């Protein structure tokens, strides 16, 4: 059974860089897309971006200038960096598994999620 | 970006009721529409993918329909564990935008 375990700093000061890592256990790493999604307290879900095992990425344009998603296939891990954080970046951050692509489109949906990491940005 | 609009934003219903939540895309997304359920303190859970395909392990009282721009999630007979927030998400293009959510509460 595939599980995602994520970790990273939970308290940041404005202008610092958020850094989170997600490890994939118990299943195939290649063939899937690996996503980051966030949820501010009491609000809805925001898709941040995704990466596949080859390092091909897609980012949300609203965050693209500050986001980097990378992959380490030797460890079955992928990571999120978000630079120049502000209070608006305070949120629960989730890593998740998205489906393989068929003709460049997802065959199904985001079916496995990490436990979430609450990141608070405060001076 | 494709915008996703859910309605209603909140809904009160009773155990045993039939409930329908709608989701509208700002442009055609074919059938690339997913539905998620989220309970407080938990990560979202995939219920329906590709507009109408039931995710493995999800009870059959959940169903999805629609294509193009208009989609629905139906719960045929509400159970106590179904009271949660529901989100649609388009997977036709990036960014993969979510709807704003529908909070389903007990009447």
């Amino acid at each position: 059974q595939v599980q995602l375990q994520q970790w990273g700093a939970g308290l940041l000061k404005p202008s610092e860089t958020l850094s989170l890592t997600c490890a994939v256990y118990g299943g195939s790493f290649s063939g899937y897309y690996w996503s980051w999604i966030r949820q501010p307290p009491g609000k809805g879900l925001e898709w941040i971006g995704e990466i596949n095992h080859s390092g091909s990425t897609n980012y949300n344009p609203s965050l693209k200038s500050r986001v980097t998603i990378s992959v380490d296939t030797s460890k079955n891990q992928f990571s999120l960096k978000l630079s120049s954080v502000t209070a608006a970046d305070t949120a629960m951050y989730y890593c998740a598994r998205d489906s393989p692509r068929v003709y460049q489109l997802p065959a199904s949906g985001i079916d496995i999620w990490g436990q979430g990491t609450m990141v608070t940005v405060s001076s | 970006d494709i915008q996703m609009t859910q309605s209603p934003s909140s809904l009160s219903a009773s155990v045993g009721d039939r409930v329908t939540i709608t989701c509208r895309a700002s442009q055609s997304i074919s059938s690339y529409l997913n539905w998620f359920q989220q309970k407080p303190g938990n990560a979202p859970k995939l219920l329906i993918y590709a507009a109408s395909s039931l995710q493995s392990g999800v009870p059959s009282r959940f169903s999805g329909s629609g294509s193009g721009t208009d989609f629905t999630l139906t719960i045929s007979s509400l159970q106590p564990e179904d009271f949660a927030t529901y989100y649609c998400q388009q997977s036709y293009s990036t960014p993969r935008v979510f709807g704003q959510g529908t909070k389903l509460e007990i009447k």
Side-chain angles (χ1 to χ4, degrees):
Chain A
Q1 183 176 353
V2 179
Q3 292 186 338
L4 304 185
Q5 182 74 33
Q6 59 182 100
W7 65 89
L11 181 61
L12 296 173
K13 291 181 168 52
S15 79
E16 291 185 334
T17 296
L18 178 158
S19 182
L20 299 175
T21 298
C22 184
V24 180
Y25 298 105
S28 173
F29 191 75
S30 63
Y32 292 91
Y33 274 71
W34 304 95
S35 303
W36 290 98
I37 293 151
R38 70 180 183 179
Q39 185 171 37
K43 296 188 178 181
L45 300 163
E46 181 180 28
W47 184 85
I48 299 170
E50 64 182 6
I51 192 167
N52 68 4
H53 71 284
S54 301
S56 176
T57 54
N58 292 298
Y59 296 133
N60 191 323
S62 68
L63 298 169
K64 187 173 184 177
S65 63
R66 298 193 291 131
V67 170
T68 302
I69 298 176
S70 58
V71 66
D72 184 341
T73 55
S74 68
K75 297 181 180 178
N76 281 9
Q77 294 177 0
F78 61 106
S79 298
L80 169 69
K81 290 189 185 300
L82 180 66
S83 64
S84 304
V85 297
T86 69
D89 296 310
T90 293
M92 181 70 79
Y93 285 75
Y94 293 102
C95 62
R97 186 182 81 169
D98 201 348
S99 79
R101 304 297 144 96
V102 177
Y103 301 115
Q104 301 184 347
L105 287 168
S108 59
I110 297 173
D111 63 343
I112 298 176
W113 296 68
Q115 79 277 19
T117 300
M118 183 65 209
V119 176
T120 302
V121 181
S122 175
S123 56
Chain B
D1 298 359
I2 296 174
Q3 302 305 311
M4 306 300 295
T5 304
Q6 284 183 237
S7 61
S9 296
S10 63
L11 175 60
S12 294
S14 301
V15 173
D17 284 354
R18 180 183 181 90
V19 166
T20 297
I21 298 169
T22 65
C23 181
R24 174 165 290 176
S26 59
Q27 65 187 73
S28 177
I29 57 171
S30 184
S31 295
Y32 292 93
L33 191 283
N34 308 312
W35 288 99
F36 296 87
Q37 177 194 67
Q38 187 178 32
K39 296 180 180 179
N42 290 339
K45 172 186 175 183
L46 179 65
L47 300 176
I48 301 284
Y49 64 92
S52 60
S53 294
L54 193 67
Q55 175 69 0
S56 176
V58 174
S60 59
R61 63 181 180 273
F62 291 93
S63 64
S65 65
S67 66
T69 60
D70 294 317
F71 302 87
T72 60
L73 172 69
T74 299
I75 310 172
S76 60
S77 179
L78 273 174
Q79 299 302 300
E81 61 269 28
D82 299 337
F83 292 95
T85 300
Y86 292 84
Y87 294 93
C88 62
Q89 183 216 21
Q90 67 84 14
S91 55
Y92 182 75
S93 66
T94 59
R96 304 210 188 285
V97 175
F98 291 87
Q100 81 278 16
T102 295
K103 187 173 184 179
L104 179 53
E105 298 175 307
I106 301 173
K107 183 183 288 184

